Amino acid sequence: MSDIKFSVCIEMIFNDLPILDRIDAVAQAGMPAIEFWSWRNKDMPAIADRAAQSKLQIAGFLADCGADLCDPEIHKDWVKGAADSIDQAVAAGAPSLIATTGNEMDSIPREQQHEAIVESLKAIAPYAEEKNITLCLEPLNILVDHAGYYLVTSKEGFAVVDEVNSPNVKLLYDIYHQQISEGNVIATIRENIQRIGHFHVADVPGRREPGTGEINYENVFAAIAESDYAGFVGLEFRPSTTSVEALAQVLKIAGQA
C-alpha cells in the first residue's frame, strides 16, 4: 500500500490568506501539491513561481473554456477554450485539468447533450495527448450544491470516458458529490480505478474535512492506496476548524501522520 498524494484546493482551504500566501501555508502543512478553480482570474506565472519556491506541484485547475461542454451549438468555442487551458497547464507544470459540463439544457434532448460532451472531448483529446495533459470530467451532485447541472452519475461519466477512448480523458471522482448522488463509493472506485484521473474529497453532510460526517475515509483512503492509482487526491472542503488542523486530520486518517 502506497501513500496517497494529496492536493490542497486553495479556493476553499487557507482562503483567509492572499492567494500566494496560501501556497506557502500548504507547504508548511506538509502537503505536496495545490489545485484551484479558474486560471483566467489569476496571475498564473506568479502562482507557478511561488509553487516552485515552495517545492509544491500544481496538480490541476479548471479547463475554463468560456462555453458549456454539453451545448452542441458552441462546440468549437469549448474546444478552443480547452486548448487554451491545456497550454496554461503545460506552462504551470500541471498534469491535469478539470472539465465540467455546464447545466442541462431543457431545449435539447439529453442524448444530444451527451453526444456533444463526447464529441468535444474527442476533438480535444489528440491535443491533450500531445501535451501530456489529462482532462478529468467531473460529475456533481444536484441535490445540495449544483441544481441543474448536467452530469450527475459516475455511470454516465464513465460511459463518456469509454466513448472518447483516450488515455488522456478520464473521470474526476468527487467522493463528496458521489456519496450524495449515488453512494457505493468504495466499490465504484475499485471497479473503475483505471478510468479515474483525479479525486476530490469532502465529508457529508456539510462539505467539511474527512472525519466530520458519514463517510468512512479511513476505508476510502485505504481502497485508493491499495490500488495502482498514481494521481492526486484533491482536498476540496470547507474546514470546520482551522485549515492547519483540518489538513492534519486528513493526514492522520490516511495514516501519514
Side-chain angles (χ1 to χ4, degrees):
M1 185 160 59
S2 59
D3 281 350
I4 289 173
K5 296 189 302 181
F6 288 112
S7 170
V8 177
C9 177
I10 57 174
E11 306 279 3
M12 299 182 75
I13 300 172
F14 293 120
N15 62 4
D16 56 330
L17 300 174
I19 192 159
L20 295 180
D21 292 344
R22 299 177 203 179
I23 298 170
D24 298 334
V26 170
Q28 291 164 10
M31 294 293 185
I34 61 166
E35 60 182 74
F36 44 88
W37 297 335
S38 177
W39 57 266
R40 294 185 184 273
N41 61 358
K42 294 179 176 65
D43 184 340
M44 290 295 290
I47 288 174
D49 287 346
R50 185 65 67 89
Q53 291 170 21
S54 298
K55 295 183 172 58
L56 294 183
Q57 182 163 3
I58 299 174
F61 45 87
L62 277 174
D64 194 343
C65 301
D68 285 345
L69 183 52
C70 62
D71 186 348
E73 298 298 321
I74 50 178
H75 162 84
K76 291 181 180 178
D77 294 335
W78 187 90
V79 173
K80 182 183 182 304
D84 292 341
S85 298
I86 288 171
D87 292 341
Q88 289 288 332
V90 171
S96 64
L97 289 167
I98 300 165
T100 55
T101 64
N103 282 6
E104 184 173 2
M105 305 174 69
D106 294 337
S107 60
I108 300 175
R110 276 192 66 91
E111 302 79 43
Q112 290 183 26
Q113 295 175 73
H114 179 99
E115 290 170 7
I117 293 167
V118 171
E119 292 309 310
S120 293
L121 289 170
K122 277 186 175 180
I124 197 62
Y127 192 59
E129 293 170 17
E130 176 189 337
K131 298 298 184 180
N132 197 29
I133 301 296
T134 300
L135 290 165
C136 301
L137 179 67
E138 184 172 24
L140 304 173
N141 86 79
I142 58 174
L143 298 176
V144 178
D145 300 281
H146 298 281
Y149 186 74
Y150 173 84
L151 184 63
V152 177
T153 68
S154 63
K155 181 179 180 180
E156 183 172 3
F158 289 128
V160 169
V161 169
D162 289 346
E163 289 172 61
V164 176
N165 193 28
S166 165
N168 290 70
V169 175
K170 296 193 175 185
L171 196 81
L172 194 165
Y173 191 84
D174 188 310
I175 295 162
Y176 164 80
H177 288 304
Q178 294 317 116
Q179 171 69 3
I180 292 171
S181 296
E182 61 192 26
N184 202 36
V185 168
I186 289 176
T188 301
I189 290 170
R190 285 175 172 160
E191 291 166 11
N192 298 282
I193 196 67
Q194 299 299 327
R195 298 188 283 181
I196 294 173
H198 195 71
F199 284 96
H200 275 165
V201 162
D203 217 332
V204 178
R207 207 172 186 178
R208 302 294 188 179
E209 68 270 18
T212 58
E214 69 194 28
I215 302 175
N216 187 328
Y217 266 107
E218 184 175 348
N219 288 347
V220 173
F221 287 157
I224 296 171
E226 288 164 2
S227 74
D228 58 359
Y229 178 74
F232 285 96
V233 174
L235 304 176
E236 191 184 51
F237 56 72
R238 292 187 291 266
S240 65
T241 57
T242 68
S243 293
V244 170
E245 291 170 334
L247 293 178
Q249 177 159 299
V250 171
L251 291 175
K252 181 178 180 181
I253 291 171
Q256 297 182 29

